Amino acid sequence: MIRGLLSVLFVLVTVAVSSSLAKPEKNIAKRGKRIPQTLSRGWGDQLIWAQTYEEALYWARAQNKPLMVIFHLEDCPHSSSMKKAFAEDKDIQKVLNEDFIILNLVYETTDKHLSPDGQYVPRIIFVDPSMTVRADITGRYSNRMYAYEPSDTQLLLSNMQKAKKLLKSEL
Amino acid sequence: MIRGLLSVLFVLVTVAVSSSLAKPEKNIAKRGKRIPQTLSRGWGDQLIWAQTYEEALYWARAQNKPLMVIFHLEDCPHSSSMKKAFAEDKDIQKVLNEDFIILNLVYETTDKHLSPDGQYVPRIIFVDPSMTVRADITGRYSNRMYAYEPSDTQLLLSNMQKAKKLLKSEL
């Protein structure tokens, strides 16, 4: 029975997980068949999503594509309205499909670089295939620099174009 | 732009990811609609799956339930045959539904404790809600101690009963 790293991880997880997160039980139908959970969680059912941050980083490097990480919560109205605008925006979906590795998470990772100014939702963070978090690619809100609202889809699209200009093209 | 922990993570990811892993492109239908990816990946569509290890650890602690982590690969025939037996075993599915937090991963995590004797697939690792990997709960193969075959479902069920006896019931 091994502890060690796990205990470190535990501290990080405890810090990372807010008590406001949705309980998985809420997805359980009391009777009848459950609808299988999807990796897209409604952010683009036709896109290919990575399951974990490790997987996403691997594919970003292997395919030399930028990674978009979306942090959201199922019960958060801001997340829901942004998700709707995001999923319905054909330009965003097209560029993601062709040029990005994508990941959406309802739990924080243990990597603090993914929360440059806090762990609010929704927030969208870009990571270069050189494994550098693009903290320079921000939305329009100075108190929550990585937040986007439904009216910000054009800004998000332009930020996606920025993220496509890789930091180190030789990698 | 932040590096630091990411570079450490990169080394771990590079070590962790085998070149034999299935490419996500294989899931892409050339035309027509894609079937949304599921979190169950066929291991139990009616169960509630955690998406990431961080999420799974959080729920194991919060609900004081043991965690089962299944490592597998979509293209691996051993994984596929074990998955079929696992998904069709009503006793396993029932106990998982009631008493376990569950996670299935096609990528390794950065936590080496989840690979006590290597990163082969399929392998099934139990984690106590006290965050201790139950390296003592093993299958019947001495060279791959956490591997199970379709004929091992009874052993797996008995190991699940072992995992349900929590290490620290006061937690």
Side-chain angles (χ1 to χ4, degrees):
Chain A
M1 297 173 220
I2 306 163
R3 305 192 75 150
L5 192 62
L6 269 187
S7 58
V8 176
L9 192 55
F10 161 63
V11 174
L12 292 166
V13 168
T14 309
V15 171
V17 174
S18 140
S19 61
S20 68
L21 288 167
K23 291 197 176 187
E25 284 86 350
K26 293 195 178 174
N27 299 321
I28 300 176
K30 286 298 172 202
R31 55 179 175 276
K33 282 220 164 188
R34 289 171 183 146
I35 298 165
Q37 306 151 277
T38 62
L39 279 180
S40 72
R41 294 183 191 259
W43 289 83
D45 287 346
Q46 295 300 298
L47 303 176
I48 302 295
W49 295 85
Q51 179 182 351
T52 65
Y53 189 42
E54 291 90 343
E55 177 177 350
L57 287 176
Y58 174 79
W59 284 114
R61 264 192 71 85
Q63 299 189 14
N64 204 35
K65 287 181 178 177
L67 162 63
M68 173 192 279
V69 187
I70 303 166
F71 291 91
H72 65 111
L73 286 174
E74 302 275 355
D75 286 350
C76 158
H78 298 284
S79 297
S80 297
S81 59
M82 186 60 208
K83 172 161 68 178
K84 187 169 184 292
F86 186 99
E88 289 174 354
D89 191 301
K90 286 181 184 169
D91 294 330
I92 288 177
Q93 296 284 314
K94 181 171 186 290
V95 177
L96 289 178
N97 184 41
E98 291 169 357
D99 300 323
F100 279 80
I101 305 297
I102 47 175
L103 172 69
N104 76 82
L105 293 172
V106 292
Y107 275 74
E108 295 291 336
T109 71
T110 53
D111 186 346
K112 64 181 166 47
H113 296 117
L114 290 175
S115 48
D117 64 348
Q119 296 187 335
Y120 52 87
V121 295
R123 75 179 194 278
I124 298 178
I125 307 277
F126 294 96
V127 185
D128 191 75
S130 67
M131 317 286 283
T132 305
V133 170
R134 295 293 304 269
D136 59 316
I137 302 182
T138 61
R140 64 171 88 257
Y141 311 102
S142 58
N143 56 337
R144 295 189 163 198
M145 287 170 58
Y146 307 94
Y148 295 85
E149 295 198 349
S151 56
D152 298 331
T153 49
Q154 276 308 309
L155 172 61
L156 180 60
L157 200 56
S158 119
N159 281 348
M160 288 165 60
Q161 300 300 336
K162 272 192 211 169
K164 280 173 60 179
K165 292 177 187 151
L166 303 186
L167 296 180
K168 298 194 178 182
S169 55
E170 77 272 18
L171 265 173
Chain B
M1 297 173 220
I2 305 164
R3 306 191 75 151
L5 191 62
L6 268 188
S7 58
V8 176
L9 191 56
F10 161 63
V11 174
L12 292 167
V13 169
T14 309
V15 171
V17 175
S18 139
S19 60
S20 68
L21 289 168
K23 292 196 176 187
E25 284 84 350
K26 292 194 179 172
N27 298 322
I28 301 176
K30 288 298 173 200
R31 57 180 174 277
K33 281 220 164 190
R34 290 171 183 146
I35 298 166
Q37 306 151 278
T38 62
L39 278 181
S40 71
R41 294 183 191 261
W43 288 83
D45 287 346
Q46 294 301 298
L47 303 176
I48 302 295
W49 295 85
Q51 179 182 351
T52 65
Y53 189 42
E54 290 90 344
E55 176 177 351
L57 287 175
Y58 174 80
W59 284 115
R61 263 193 71 85
Q63 300 189 13
N64 203 36
K65 287 181 178 177
L67 162 64
M68 173 193 278
V69 187
I70 303 167
F71 291 92
H72 64 110
L73 287 174
E74 302 275 353
D75 287 350
C76 158
H78 297 284
S79 297
S80 297
S81 59
M82 185 60 208
K83 172 161 66 178
K84 187 168 184 295
F86 185 100
E88 290 174 354
D89 190 301
K90 286 181 183 168
D91 294 329
I92 288 177
Q93 296 285 313
K94 180 171 186 291
V95 177
L96 289 178
N97 184 41
E98 291 169 358
D99 300 323
F100 279 81
I101 304 298
I102 46 175
L103 171 69
N104 77 81
L105 293 173
V106 292
Y107 275 75
E108 295 291 336
T109 71
T110 53
D111 185 346
K112 65 181 167 44
H113 296 117
L114 289 175
S115 48
D117 64 347
Q119 296 187 334
Y120 52 86
V121 295
R123 76 179 193 277
I124 297 178
I125 307 277
F126 293 97
V127 185
D128 190 74
S130 67
M131 316 286 282
T132 306
V133 170
R134 295 293 304 267
D136 59 315
I137 302 182
T138 62
R140 64 171 89 258
Y141 310 102
S142 59
N143 57 336
R144 294 187 163 200
M145 287 170 55
Y146 307 94
Y148 295 85
E149 295 198 350
S151 56
D152 298 332
T153 50
Q154 275 308 309
L155 173 61
L156 180 60
L157 200 55
S158 119
N159 282 348
M160 288 163 61
Q161 299 300 336
K162 272 192 212 170
K164 279 172 61 179
K165 291 176 187 151
L166 303 185
L167 296 181
K168 297 193 178 184
S169 55
E170 76 273 18
L171 265 173

